[in-house]
Amino acid sequence: MKLMSKQDSIYNAKLAEQAGLYEDMAKFMKEAVLSGEELTSEERSLFNLACKNLISTKHIPWRVISATEQKEKAKNSKFSPLLRTYRTVIENEVENISNDVNELIDKYLLPKANTVEDDVFYLKMKGDYYRNFAEHVPGDRGKCARKKGQEAYERATEVAESLPTTHPTRLALALNYSVFFYEILNLPEQACKLAKVAFDSALENLDQLEDEEYKEATLYMQLLRDNLTLWTTDIQDDTNKEV
């Protein structure tokens, strides 16, 4: 079957997004990647959005079914095995999406990345989708995803050192990597340290930015600060409980 041109795939992906057809959006963006042409910055973001929307369609059902399974299990209900099977189906779908995204990045996108920003963006994406995988899939598969996610985030962080501390892609990486530390690795102190360093480093250079750059940088900085406030409070509460 002949693939569409990249231009046609991008057009259809945007149309599918407007219609809320996220599986179709992801399919069209996959075809755009498979065209072999380099993605522009806008197309790169559209690819990420398509994958994120597709994962989101699995996230809420997984939470609902998992919570229901726990309630039924506590009652020793005959429906527990049925719910477990249903949950496993969703987990396998999340795994397939994550693997598909990371394969596209490794085979088609990273090899064509021509800038540091491209490298950081795609490595961050790898970390993000391994994080989604680890959040939903238990056992050895989840453990493997955590390891690969950390490796991707760590590599992205190393490459991002050559970007300005106020660069949106560098700040977005710090935001998501710190969430990974907090929510997936259960290392709140490291999460806070990473978020604080990123926030403070960017704050020192804010006065060098133009208006649009300033708005974008401060958006991520606000999210970093919000998380820091929440996480610091949680750590203090846990400390008080231990005392």
Side-chain angles (χ1 to χ4, degrees), residues 58-103:
K58 311 298 179 185
H59 187 68
I60 294 176
W62 180 84
R63 283 189 176 276
V64 170
I65 292 168
S66 296
T68 305
E69 181 189 1
Q70 291 304 313
K71 291 177 183 177
E72 295 296 322
K73 194 173 181 180
K75 296 188 294 185
N76 200 24
S77 168
K78 65 179 182 180
F79 296 114
S80 294
L82 178 65
L83 288 161
R84 181 171 61 252
T85 299
Y86 202 175
R87 172 177 53 80
T88 301
V89 168
I90 296 176
E91 289 171 354
N92 289 338
E93 290 174 349
V94 170
E95 180 177 10
N96 290 336
I97 293 168
S98 299
N99 288 340
D100 199 26
V101 170
N102 284 317
E103 184 178 7

Side-chain angles (χ1 to χ4, degrees), residues 133-151:
F133 183 1
E135 183 179 0
H136 292 88
V137 181
D140 290 340
R141 291 184 301 164
K143 184 177 180 180
C144 182
R146 287 195 295 274
K147 180 181 178 183
K148 289 182 178 180
Q150 186 163 12
E151 289 172 354

Side-chain angles (χ1 to χ4, degrees), residues 41-53:
S41 177
E42 179 188 358
E43 292 164 354
R44 186 187 67 190
S45 296
L46 192 65
F47 171 62
N48 187 31
L49 180 62
C51 300
K52 188 183 298 184
N53 285 341

